[in-house]
Amino acid sequence: MTADAPETRFSISNNPSYLYQAYFSYILEYKNGTQADGFFDLELLKKSLNILVRKHYKPVAGWFQARNNSIDVVYYSDKFNDPPVTTQTLDMDYDTLSRHVHDCNVELLVPAAPSAAITFEDPDPNIPMIMLKVTYLESNEAVVLGVTYHHSLMDGTAFWMFMANWSALCKHLHEHGEIAEFDIPHPPTFEFPDISHFYNPSKTFEHPEYILVNPNQFSKRLQPGPEKIVEKILEISVEQQQALRQQARDIGVSFTEILCAVLWKGVNSLRLELNPEIGSESSLYTCTVNSRTRAGVSNNVCASPVTIASREQTVAEIAALEVCDIAQLAHKAIGKCTGEYLSSSYRYLHQQFKQEQDDRCN
């Protein structure tokens, strides 16, 4: 369709992200070091954001539409689902605000993702694709942007491209006022990338990470019991992060992989301490992997093929291993996410989804 068409459709049926109803959030803090007036002017933020999504990110200003086992994002040239923006002004100093940012206080700083889901029975046309919460300080020392967006339209890489484009447009509007044309630095491309060429029928893979579990039938043995359930917050200081980064470099894994190891070990150590009888039970580690580079997907493509890697060990094994050894297990699990595995994963998901739809109809 042409750019002036009254209706434009972007199919996301091939993108498993919509199956998860996944929203992602970021918290971005900007210090007003010079105490400038009008720092992150709200009207300028909203105006530039609306121009960006209407002109360059049309699916973000569109609506989900589910029909006949397919999902589209529909954009109308005469009607826009502009990103909702909420604001708040807090009476706190910069250091206090920074602690909330460091602690990822999403309830305070991030717009809540919609509770509505994309369904075939009664689709909600007003589920926003992206939401913004702007936090100002009465002291004017800083501004925080909390952004929540639907993963079926943008992955992490595409999100930072979006933010770079928004920043450039906002700066241009601030410096030049009204504009007729403006070329954003990173023009986006929509539609889900084709990965069918990776399919290899001679290779089969197990996908325990996608096996559906009925919570009513799930074994309670892995839970410590109501009288023993405790809350434990995993906190990693800046100094600990620096040490972990060095460990990761020493053993040839990523910082993310060694963080996964810290979490996997910490959870299973706590579970084993509270219930020693579960040591021989299985512990399934899963990690979302962005295969953009492996699939040869350009950074300008907003939706990239994301899959889940998994590794299965017993609770006692993970509790006993050193963090570096667990990081190596995570590294191997992520390393198996080749193009062939990616294709197999998507075929498995779509077959599973089709079966769910058939079961729903019968």
Side-chain angles (χ1 to χ4, degrees):
M1 289 188 175
T2 65
D4 297 328
E7 176 184 293
T8 307
R9 289 183 173 271
F10 302 87
S11 174
I12 60 170
S13 293
N14 290 328
N15 187 344
S17 291
Y18 82 82
L19 299 177
Y20 309 131
Q21 309 297 330
Y23 279 88
F24 281 60
S25 298
Y26 285 93
I27 301 175
L28 311 173
E29 183 181 33
Y30 301 89
K31 185 175 182 179
N32 186 4
T34 61
Q35 293 286 295
D37 293 331
F39 188 65
F40 276 72
D41 177 74
L42 180 60
E43 291 307 312
L44 180 61
L45 285 175
K46 293 166 66 174
K47 180 179 180 179
S48 57
L49 179 61
N50 290 344
I51 291 174
L52 182 67
V53 298
R54 292 185 187 188
K55 187 177 179 66
H56 300 285
Y57 286 83
K58 291 184 176 181
V60 177
W63 283 263
F64 287 113
Q65 187 174 93
R67 61 181 185 180
N68 301 326
N69 289 342
S70 66
I71 300 283
D72 292 336
V73 174
V74 186
Y75 169 83
Y76 303 99
S77 60
D78 59 347
K79 184 173 70 170
F80 310 102
N81 198 13
D82 287 329
V85 178
T86 58
T87 65
Q88 63 180 346
T89 302
L90 303 178
D91 183 14
M92 63 176 61
D93 58 24
Y94 172 74
D95 290 337
T96 302
L97 178 67
S98 295
R99 283 197 294 272
H100 285 293
V101 173
H102 180 269
D103 294 340
C104 295
N105 190 339
V106 294
E107 292 186 0
L108 178 66
L109 301 173
V110 172
S115 58
I118 308 169
T119 67
F120 288 96
E121 290 79 10
D122 185 23
D124 182 352
N126 298 310
I127 301 176
M129 313 295 179
I130 189 169
M131 295 143 282
L132 179 70
K133 187 172 186 177
V134 188
T135 299
Y136 295 96
L137 294 181
E138 290 187 359
S139 63
N140 197 29
E141 293 179 89
V143 171
V144 170
L145 298 183
V147 186
T148 298
Y149 67 94
H150 200 281
H151 199 272
S152 66
L153 293 178
M154 290 188 286
D155 67 356
T157 300
F159 171 78
W160 291 113
M161 295 288 187
F162 176 88
M163 293 301 293
N165 287 331
W166 184 18
S167 175
L169 178 56
C170 196
K171 179 181 179 181
H172 194 87
L173 282 174
H174 174 71
E175 294 176 347
H176 303 286
E178 296 293 335
I179 55 173
E181 292 292 336
F182 174 73
D183 295 327
I184 57 176
H186 308 286
T189 301
F190 292 93
E191 304 291 359
F192 190 69
D194 181 21
I195 60 171
S196 59
H197 57 286
F198 288 119
Y199 177 57
N200 185 347
S202 66
K203 288 191 176 182
T204 58
F205 300 90
E206 298 293 331
H207 292 287
E209 61 271 20
Y210 294 124
I211 294 176
L212 297 177
V213 177
N214 184 339
N216 296 324
Q217 299 174 351
F218 189 74
S219 171
K220 300 296 183 183
R221 293 192 63 206
L222 295 181
Q223 299 183 12
E227 73 284 356
K228 291 184 178 180
I229 290 180
V230 298
E231 179 179 295
K232 185 177 178 70
I233 300 175
L234 179 64
E235 295 183 352
I236 302 177
S237 67
V238 174
E239 292 75 16
Q240 288 173 313
Q241 290 182 42
Q242 292 172 343
L244 287 172
R245 289 183 187 278
Q246 185 58 54
Q247 282 183 294
R249 287 191 288 268
D250 291 343
I251 63 175
V253 303
S254 69
F255 179 57
T256 299
E257 288 164 343
I258 206 162
L259 279 181
C260 290
V262 171
L263 177 60
W264 199 11
K265 179 179 177 65
V267 168
N268 282 285
S269 297
L270 179 62
R271 291 160 72 192
L272 189 63
E273 177 186 344
L274 295 173
N275 189 354
E277 296 180 359
I278 67 171
S280 60
E281 296 282 357
S282 174
S283 174
L284 182 66
Y285 155 83
T286 60
C287 178
T288 302
V289 180
N290 188 331
S291 300
R292 176 184 289 273
T293 301
R294 301 180 191 212
V297 177
S298 165
N299 283 340
N300 287 338
V301 177
C302 286
S304 69
V306 175
T307 189
I308 296 179
S310 66
R311 178 79 186 211
E312 193 169 4
Q313 304 285 147
T314 68
V315 173
E317 286 173 339
I318 295 302
L321 286 172
E322 296 294 330
V323 166
C324 287
D325 295 325
I326 301 174
Q328 292 284 10
L329 295 178
H331 180 72
K332 291 178 181 177
I334 293 173
K336 75 178 183 182
C337 293
T338 62
E340 292 173 336
Y341 182 85
L342 180 67
S343 177
S344 172
S345 177
Y346 276 32
R347 290 173 68 87
Y348 182 94
L349 276 174
H350 285 296
Q351 289 170 1
Q352 186 182 75
F353 181 65
K354 184 179 184 304
Q355 185 61 53
E356 290 176 4
Q357 293 298 107
D358 291 342
D359 292 343
R360 188 177 292 115
C361 294
N362 295 331

